[in-house]
């Protein structure tokens, strides 16, 4: 990943700062708890959730294990349907391809639908350097862009802003980007949304180039799928003459039928809805309907390195539903920015250090940004064992070892200053290998939680010098689950 | 070396541990999940569709084939729409009684021109009861994707029970992936501002669905 989050402090420092910000914490708590409760209800509606989750896991795993074959098939299908496929090994190359494609149209502005892949590669900045203005059109992304800010949540990127702040940003900044905010704008959500509608509509109606990501790409048919709520996606995918989609290579699924799994699990895991308001599917170009030129840029940028790690590759199953963020006690307190990447929360803690490597301090610290409580795994609709990968990555940071960087095998040295973590890893590994001991330990810790110090004594002091110990929950997650769900695991 | 070869080469090296799996795809994946959730009569399925549409704040109406035209007229009058956009293949008898001027979507019309039209009337390809979703596939009675997007008021006519299925898997079976597809569940909505749900940022803010029975 490039272009983003340069100079971020490591997770512990960033988190400490965020934890001190009461507004941010209040917003986050409200948001995560609201979505969490709704999600549980939406999931409970499907009696076959465990089977859907298992099918999702298998489809994604199978695809990853034959990724070369499915990408070639996808390329063929997209080309046959009238699209053009480009391959980008890294962020720089992807940015260059997109910049050249936009230049070739003669346009100097583009409309964008929210896409994590383009954020990951810093596309907006690269376009700006080339004199091309990229307008983010998702309401939250607009808030983030106008506020010269970073998104903090996969799904609700401006979750860290409250309505008063949003009103101020609109009033001050909209005019410099296009249609100004209406006079006397108040901070009611409806008025704020209306201001965004007017501001962006002007851009949609004149846009000649749209840029998107995609949630899924179907190898068999060449179909791309974008799932959204507001309709800005439909605008960007339908009105421009040229459409450029930048998509990570892991987003491919083999067959049309596979969508029946993910269109059931994604919306419920994500926004806790039976179905999101809009889903667009397109296959190449269609005469007289929508863009007449379609480019697909397939992005590697660290994904093949991740694929080379037999434990870590499961992170590529992620469908970016953000359910793991909403249940994570660490994310709830620290907020998305503390993770220093476009992928926050538990998934960010395992994805970023794999995509980017663990050379920087922030990336080396991310595998520690978790209490290993396991809630992220329980909710994940594709059953990514995030705790397993976290422990694996901690070990890699602490002890070094073989890894693949930019397609080359390398031997990583143990990270400096991580001696204490090495001890922590050994402890964690032991505990995970002894589930009974882990459970007892958690229960014991719960019962004695009032006695717990904020810092660790002895050799642990170096570790807690920059970190607050996470408060031990009143009840271990597993016990709570047993009690409230009677041992019936509806999440699997 | 081209980037294509570079990326594919990296993938193949990364997967050196994977033993080839000769099983056909469907067998390798297994699909233990349900084709639909629960057993319902046709009527109950239509009822569930109506419920779930309404739950997602679409306005649901029922009509016989003979009343559709009057209903459409009433809905447009209530809305005060002077002009309405219609796809080229919309059954003419759905509209005969409508007062407003019909605007046909022409290739030459610019998005700006379409933006001045208040309402659009379309048919649909399939509707999904369990999720409260209507799917448009660009057939002549539905028109291009943009006509159901730009106007602020969308009236969608669903033929019941023919066009209604229970579940997402059943809907995918019926759809043709080579067509441009738009799945609509309720009107455009956002929860980006403090998680308060607000209807309509970009798509139509009002979605009215007419469940019409007895239509050919
Ligand atoms: S890791 Fe799982 S739960 Fe988290 S965003 Fe990805 S798919 Fe969703």
């Amino acid at each position: 990943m490039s272009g983003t989050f340069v100079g971020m402090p490591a997770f512990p420092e960033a988190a400490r700062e965020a934890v001190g910000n009461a507004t941010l914490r209040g917003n986050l708590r409200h948001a995560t708890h609201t979505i969490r409760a709704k999600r549980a209800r939406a999931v409970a509606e499907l009696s076959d959730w465990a089977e859907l989750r298992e099918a999702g896991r298998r489809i994604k795993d199978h695809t990853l294990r034959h990724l070369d074959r499915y990408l070639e098939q996808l390329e063929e299908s997209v080309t046959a349907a009238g699209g053009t496929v480009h391959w980008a090994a890294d962020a720089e190359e992807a940015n260059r391809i997109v910049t050249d494609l936009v230049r070739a149209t003669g346009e100097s502005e583009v409309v964008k639908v929210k896409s994590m892949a383009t954020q990951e590669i810093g596309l907006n900045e690269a376009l700006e350097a080339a004199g091309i203005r990229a307008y983010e059109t998702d309401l939250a992304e607009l808030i983030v862009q106008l506020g010269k800010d970073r998104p903090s949540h996969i799904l609700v990127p401006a979750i860290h802003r409250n309505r008063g702040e949003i009103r101020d940003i609109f009033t001050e900044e909209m005019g410099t980007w296009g249609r100004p905010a209406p006079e006397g704008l108040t901070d009611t959500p409806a008025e704020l949304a209306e201001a965004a509608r007017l501001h962006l509509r002007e851009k949609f109606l004149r846009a000649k180039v749209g840029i998107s990501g995609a949630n899924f790409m179907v190898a068999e048919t060449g179909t791309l799928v974008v799932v959204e709520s507001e309709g800005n996606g439909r605008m960007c995918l339908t009105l421009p003459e040229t459409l450029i989609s930048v998509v990570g290579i892991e987003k491919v699924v083999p067959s049309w039928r596979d969508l029946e799994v993910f269109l059931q699990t994604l919306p419920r895991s994500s926004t806790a809805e039976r179905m999101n308001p809009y889903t667009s599917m397109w296959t190449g170009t269609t005469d007289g309907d929508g863009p007449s030129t379609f480019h697909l840029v397939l992005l590697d940028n660290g994904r093949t390195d991740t694929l080379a790690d037999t434990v870590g590759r499961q992170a590529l199953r992620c469908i970016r539903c953000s359910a793991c963020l909403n249940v994570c006690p660490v994310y709830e307190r620290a907020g998305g920015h503390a993770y220093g990447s476009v992928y926050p929360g538990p998934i960010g803690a395992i994805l970023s250090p794999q995509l980017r490597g663990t050379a920087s301090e922030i990336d080396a610290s991310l595998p520690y940004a978790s209490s290993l409580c396991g809630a992220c795994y329980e909710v994940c609709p594709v059953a990514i064992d995030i705790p397993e990968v976290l422990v694996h990555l901690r070990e890699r940071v602490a002890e070094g070892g073989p890894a693949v960087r930019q397609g080359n095998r390398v031997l990583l040295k143990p990270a400096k200053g991580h001696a204490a973590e090495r001890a922590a890893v050994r402890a964690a590994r032991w505990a995970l290998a002894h589930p009974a001991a882990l459970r007892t330990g958690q229960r014991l810790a719960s019962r004695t939680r009032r006695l717990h110090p904020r810092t660790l004594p002895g050799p642990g002091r170096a570790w807690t010098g920059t970190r607050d110990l996470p408060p031990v929950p009143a009840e271990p997650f597993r016990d709570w689950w047993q009690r409230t769900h009677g041992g019936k695991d509806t999440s699997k | 070396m081209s980037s294509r070869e570079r990326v594919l080469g990296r993938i193949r090296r990364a997967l050196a541990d994977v033993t080839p799996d000769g099983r056909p795809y469907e067998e390798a994946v297994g699909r233990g999940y349900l084709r639909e959730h629960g057993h319902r009569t046709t009527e109950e399925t239509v009822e569930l569709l109506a419920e779930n549409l309404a739950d997602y704040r679409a306005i649901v109406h029922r009509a016989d084939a003979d009343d559709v035209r009057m209903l459409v007229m009433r809905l447009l009058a209530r809305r005060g729409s002077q002009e309405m956009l219609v796809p080229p293949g919309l059954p003419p008898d759905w509209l005969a009684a409508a007062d407003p001027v019909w605007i046909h979507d022409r290739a030459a019309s610019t998005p700006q021109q379409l933006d001045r039209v208040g309402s659009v009337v379309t048919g649909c390809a399939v509707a999904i009861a369990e999720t409260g979703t209507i799917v448009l596939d660009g057939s002549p009675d539905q028109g291009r994707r943009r006509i159901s997007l730009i106007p602020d008021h969308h009236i969608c006519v669903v033929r019941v029970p023919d066009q209604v299925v229970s579940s997402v898997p059943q809907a995918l079976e019926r759809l043709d992936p080579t067509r441009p597809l738009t799945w609509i569940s309720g009107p455009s909505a956002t929860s980006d501002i403090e998680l308060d749900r607000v209807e309509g940022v970009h798509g139509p803010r009002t979605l009215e669905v007419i469940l019409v029975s007895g239509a050919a």
Side-chain angles (χ1 to χ4, degrees), chain A residues 271-327:
Chain A
T271 46
E273 294 170 299
R274 293 187 191 106
M275 188 63 88
N276 48 289
Y278 295 133
T279 299
S280 297
M281 300 181 182
W282 72 101
T283 305
T285 55
T286 304
D287 278 344
D289 185 354
S292 50
T293 309
F294 170 56
H295 294 277
L296 171 60
V297 181
L298 293 172
L299 178 71
D300 177 349
N301 203 35
R303 285 160 176 78
T304 48
D305 293 344
T306 309
L307 191 67
D309 186 316
T310 51
V311 178
R313 74 167 56 131
Q314 57 182 306
L316 297 176
R317 293 206 297 258
C318 177
I319 56 173
R320 314 275 189 264
C321 72
S322 77
C324 57
L325 277 64
N326 298 323
V327 295

Side-chain angles (χ1 to χ4, degrees), chain A residues 48 93 194 230 258 260 283, chain B residues 3 31 33 37 177 188 205:
Chain A
D48 58 341
E93 188 175 13
E194 174 70 15
E230 294 174 10
D258 295 329
E260 71 190 20
T283 305
Chain B
S3 293
R31 296 181 190 268
Y33 51 89
H37 297 86
S188 158
R205 279 178 284 201

Side-chain angles (χ1 to χ4, degrees), chain A residues 228-472:
Chain A
E228 50 130 3
S229 297
E230 294 174 10
N232 63 306
R234 292 180 63 193
M235 291 274 183
C236 293
L237 300 169
T238 312
L239 298 183
E241 287 159 13
T242 301
L243 172 61
I244 305 167
S245 301
V246 182
V247 190
I249 51 175
E250 81 283 14
K251 294 283 176 84
V252 65
V253 296
S255 74
W256 172 247
R257 188 177 172 192
D258 295 329
L259 295 177
E260 71 190 20
V261 174
F262 301 111
L263 289 182
Q264 292 190 80
T265 53
L266 177 57
R268 288 178 203 258
S269 299
S270 180
T271 46
E273 294 170 299
R274 293 187 191 106
M275 188 63 88
N276 48 289
Y278 295 133
T279 299
S280 297
M281 300 181 182
W282 72 101
T283 305
T285 55
T286 304
D287 278 344
D289 185 354
S292 50
T293 309
F294 170 56
H295 294 277
L296 171 60
V297 181
L298 293 172
L299 178 71
D300 177 349
N301 203 35
R303 285 160 176 78
T304 48
D305 293 344
T306 309
L307 191 67
D309 186 316
T310 51
V311 178
R313 74 167 56 131
Q314 57 182 306
L316 297 176
R317 293 206 297 258
C318 177
I319 56 173
R320 314 275 189 264
C321 72
S322 77
C324 57
L325 277 64
N326 298 323
V327 295
C328 178
V330 177
Y331 171 82
E332 182 184 319
R333 288 171 182 78
H337 289 146
Y339 294 79
S341 93
V342 293
Y343 304 107
I347 182 61
I350 62 168
L351 199 53
S352 304
Q354 296 202 84
L355 293 177
R356 303 192 291 207
T358 47
S360 76
E361 205 193 339
I362 174 101
D363 289 321
S365 72
L366 283 176
Y368 295 89
S370 164
S371 61
L372 298 180
C373 74
C376 48
Y377 169 64
E378 310 268 350
V379 296
C380 178
V382 284
I384 300 173
D385 193 340
I386 296 177
E388 182 192 13
V389 182
L390 282 168
V391 171
H392 169 71
L393 292 176
R394 285 182 187 188
E395 186 177 314
R396 179 191 287 175
V397 168
E399 318 217 332
V404 175
R405 296 309 308 152
Q406 284 158 357
N408 300 313
R409 299 217 160 265
V410 294
L411 197 67
L412 298 176
K413 287 204 274 299
K416 284 199 203 76
H418 276 273
E421 270 93 337
R422 243 168 284 164
V425 173
R426 276 196 290 275
R429 212 170 27 197
W430 180 84
L432 287 178
H434 301 78
L438 177 67
R439 275 196 299 277
T440 320
Q442 282 176 341
R443 292 216 183 94
L444 210 77
S446 289
R447 253 180 264 138
T448 57
R449 66 205 269 261
R450 239 170 306 130
L451 307 173
H452 283 220
R454 296 273 286 170
T455 52
L456 288 174
R461 191 187 299 282
W463 194 68
T464 49
T466 50
R467 298 153 175 86
D468 285 333
L469 276 183
V472 178

